[in-house]
Amino acid sequence: MQRNLVLVASEAQLVLTRESLAHMQAELSRDRQVERYKIPQKTFGELEVFLYLYPTLDAITPHLRRYPVDLLLYDERQGGVDAVVAMNQLQEDFHALAELWGPDFQFPMGRTVVILEDRKDSPHRTFVLGREQVRDVLVAPDSLARILRFIGKLLAADLRHNQHKIGCALSGGGLEGFLYQVGCSYALESSLKGRSFADCNLYSGVSSGSIVATILASKIPLEEVVASLFGKSERLPQMKGSSLYDFAGKEIISRIAKQSLRWSGLDPYQWAQKFFRSIPTGFFKGDYLREYIANAIVEYGGDDSFASLERELIIGATSQDNYEHVIFGAAPWQDTKISDAVRASCALPPVFTPHTIAGKNYIDGQITRTCNLEWMVKRGCSLIFIIDPLKPYYTTHEEGMDAQGGVFNLIQTIKTLVYTRFRTALSHITERYPDVDFIVFQPYEECAQLMAGSPMKYKINVEILRQAYVGTLRKLRIRHTVYENRLAKHGFQLISEKELFEKEKASLGF
């Protein structure tokens, strides 16, 4: 297993470091003028460890754009920048990188180790660095060998702690979000070899993401799902917007009738209250969606139960009565039918009516949580793929967003609130669990433009499927080096840039 270390130190300290590396017979290689040493195997046992050397902090974010980093070492000795000042600069640089390149480029301070000079204020500075969530601090170690032995213990502890499970978390985004997730998942399935994307250990779905999570966990082939969306599958019926949105006429009439019987003799204020109560909490039943999921599971040998799955699956929903997030598939909701859990998780007011399970009503899971990431980490995931379709669209049009009207802006506001919540949650969990890797996929500009406006469209737009597929392949190709190394750390092999480009040109093949 390969691990990558980066050491930043002054030129004077690097001279001493190079001498020590030569003494231990570390193998020097250069990749585009990057100074890299392969540490002898005896130092780290089963791990293959590479050490990159840099004389300046400004080189770190360019390095992170190309290579994965498991631990960053900063040595302030021999005239380097004060460690506290250096860590503050790095925090700002890491934040700017994540804003520019995406949330999975947020580098946690928990992957940094600081080497201090032996000064009177070293205990205080150690405390300050700990408060900044630096993983550990060494004060004036007497040799590079001692530093590497210490690093070896940290890496070994990470190996013991992680169960090396792979997770996939899918958030919501309505019908268009579902299409994006299918296209993105199919691209990942087509791009990996050695270990399949469809062989993740855990799947988590919220809202429309629960549909794709169920498909993957139930071993329903993605190629067959894609074919069904084009009406070309022999085993799955074509999913149509007109079928998904089955009008809840009976429920709506019943609710209005129930409230109207109480309007007689009321004053205007009470009348208004009754009127608002008569407005339905959903206009569509969602029965077709529930039946579609149940039939698809059975078609591929399942029995619509969480217990029957070989992989772990959880589906997030929201209790309508107390607005608490519940996780179907985990105790005490492990006996719920998968199709019922999916139907409940997708019940976004006022589109779909709430879904009743065991006498309680449930609505869309994304109302209370974007992804159940922490649950997956606690279940032993060391790598989590995140597919998040609900990204706001940013226009560069001269008239700006105001020209799009109030409804469009309201929807973009909701998308932005959900998106911001996701970014904040991911940032926090990255810092809490620095040994876990996250790879995030969100719509590129072309796809985001297609998905602008309401995600609850009535018509299935297969162009979103194509754009999601091609955009995911493009992202993997453009950032091939960093993703290739990140994935290799967890047993995946990413196909070559040339192969990715060929798949882009071929698109979906439908």
Side-chain angles (χ1 to χ4, degrees), residues 135-185:
R135 178 159 186 178
D136 226 317
V137 177
L138 294 173
V139 179
D142 54 17
S143 67
L144 178 63
R146 182 182 173 187
I147 295 172
L148 293 179
R149 283 197 299 271
F150 178 78
I151 296 302
K153 291 178 181 179
L154 295 182
L155 295 175
D158 288 343
L159 284 173
R160 289 193 301 269
H161 176 264
N162 285 331
Q163 298 178 38
H164 307 293
K165 293 181 180 179
I166 309 298
C168 178
L170 302 109
S171 61
L175 181 56
E176 294 186 337
F178 163 74
L179 294 170
Y180 175 82
Q181 289 166 338
V182 171
C184 180
S185 299

Side-chain angles (χ1 to χ4, degrees), residues 28-214:
L28 171 63
S29 63
R30 291 186 179 274
D31 178 15
R32 301 188 182 187
Q33 304 305 310
V34 175
E35 188 176 3
R36 184 180 76 165
Y37 291 84
K38 183 178 180 181
I39 308 300
Q41 197 80 18
K42 61 183 179 180
T43 307
F44 293 103
E46 63 183 273
L47 293 177
E48 184 181 38
V49 176
F50 292 90
L51 176 65
Y52 296 81
L53 302 184
Y54 288 105
T56 173
L57 293 167
D58 293 336
I60 300 306
T61 48
H63 182 92
L64 289 171
R65 290 198 296 264
R66 288 191 53 79
Y67 306 100
V69 176
D70 296 290
L71 280 176
L72 169 64
L73 287 66
Y74 178 73
D75 192 338
E76 71 170 5
R77 295 175 299 174
Q78 298 287 323
V81 177
D82 180 88
V84 174
V85 175
M87 291 303 104
N88 287 334
Q89 178 184 329
L90 283 177
Q91 280 186 316
E92 292 179 5
D93 291 346
F94 295 156
H95 178 74
L97 178 63
E99 287 295 317
L100 184 64
W101 276 58
D104 54 352
F105 280 82
Q106 176 69 46
F107 189 80
M109 295 302 292
R111 289 191 184 186
T112 58
V113 174
V114 175
I115 302 169
L116 298 178
E117 290 182 321
D118 190 5
R119 297 179 354 197
K120 288 184 178 180
D121 63 347
S122 292
H124 173 69
R125 294 196 301 145
T126 299
F127 170 77
V128 172
L129 290 167
R131 193 170 57 187
E132 296 297 326
Q133 299 182 309
V134 167
R135 178 159 186 178
D136 226 317
V137 177
L138 294 173
V139 179
D142 54 17
S143 67
L144 178 63
R146 182 182 173 187
I147 295 172
L148 293 179
R149 283 197 299 271
F150 178 78
I151 296 302
K153 291 178 181 179
L154 295 182
L155 295 175
D158 288 343
L159 284 173
R160 289 193 301 269
H161 176 264
N162 285 331
Q163 298 178 38
H164 307 293
K165 293 181 180 179
I166 309 298
C168 178
L170 302 109
S171 61
L175 181 56
E176 294 186 337
F178 163 74
L179 294 170
Y180 175 82
Q181 289 166 338
V182 171
C184 180
S185 299
Y186 190 43
L188 287 168
E189 175 72 3
S190 305
S191 305
L192 300 174
K193 55 185 180 181
R195 184 172 187 173
S196 171
F197 173 70
D199 288 333
C200 293
N201 304 101
L202 292 87
Y203 292 95
S204 166
V206 174
S207 192
S208 62
S210 66
I211 305 173
V212 183
T214 298

Side-chain angles (χ1 to χ4, degrees), residues 346-359:
C346 294
L348 177 65
V351 182
F352 289 109
T353 58
H355 190 58
T356 305
I357 299 175

Side-chain angles (χ1 to χ4, degrees), residues 199-431:
D199 288 333
C200 293
N201 304 101
L202 292 87
Y203 292 95
S204 166
V206 174
S207 192
S208 62
S210 66
I211 305 173
V212 183
T214 298
I215 287 169
L216 292 166
S218 302
K219 293 187 176 181
I220 300 172
L222 283 169
E223 185 174 8
E224 199 67 25
V225 175
V226 173
S228 73
L229 291 168
F230 285 89
K232 296 182 179 181
S233 171
E234 296 182 0
R235 299 189 65 176
L236 295 175
Q238 184 175 10
M239 184 181 286
K240 298 180 180 179
S242 57
S243 301
L244 287 172
Y245 295 102
D246 43 357
F247 189 63
K250 182 179 178 181
E251 290 80 357
I252 293 171
I253 293 171
S254 175
R255 184 182 184 92
I256 293 174
K258 182 178 178 181
Q259 293 296 331
S260 65
L261 293 174
R262 305 174 184 175
W263 289 8
S264 179
L266 297 177
D267 61 43
Y269 175 74
Q270 291 178 313
W271 187 91
Q273 283 187 315
K274 294 295 182 182
F275 171 76
F276 286 120
R277 287 179 185 174
S278 70
I279 296 174
T281 52
F283 288 94
F284 303 99
K285 294 182 292 184
D287 288 345
Y288 178 82
L289 172 62
R290 181 172 54 81
E291 292 168 5
Y292 183 95
I293 294 297
N295 292 336
I297 293 171
V298 171
E299 175 66 25
Y300 284 90
D303 65 359
D304 198 12
S305 69
F306 288 97
S308 68
L309 300 174
E310 294 180 13
R311 295 91 175 250
E312 289 188 72
L313 169 67
I314 60 166
I315 294 173
T318 301
S319 170
Q320 189 185 33
D321 294 328
N322 57 21
Y323 281 83
E324 289 185 355
H325 193 81
V326 301
I327 301 178
F328 293 113
W333 298 283
Q334 68 270 31
D335 294 328
T336 305
K337 288 185 177 182
I338 297 174
S339 58
D340 279 322
V342 171
R343 168 63 181 86
S345 187
C346 294
L348 177 65
V351 182
F352 289 109
T353 58
H355 190 58
T356 305
I357 299 175
K360 293 185 178 181
N361 286 343
Y362 296 94
I363 54 178
D364 197 297
Q366 197 160 29
I367 292 171
T368 46
R369 198 172 298 174
T370 308
C371 294
N372 283 297
L373 295 178
E374 188 161 8
W375 186 92
M376 303 183 82
V377 171
K378 289 181 176 179
R379 294 293 296 164
C381 288
S382 57
L383 169 66
I384 300 178
F385 295 96
I386 302 173
I387 306 179
D388 176 39
L390 206 59
K391 181 180 178 181
Y393 170 64
Y394 306 108
T395 182
T396 56
H397 195 275
E398 291 182 1
E399 296 180 352
M401 285 292 188
D402 189 66
Q404 303 296 326
V407 174
F408 183 91
N409 276 270
L410 174 62
I411 292 167
Q412 291 304 305
T413 299
I414 295 170
K415 283 186 176 183
T416 302
L417 288 171
V418 175
Y419 178 69
T420 303
R421 183 179 67 183
F422 164 71
R423 291 289 295 261
T424 302
L426 181 58
S427 177
H428 288 167
I429 202 167
T430 299
E431 291 294 346

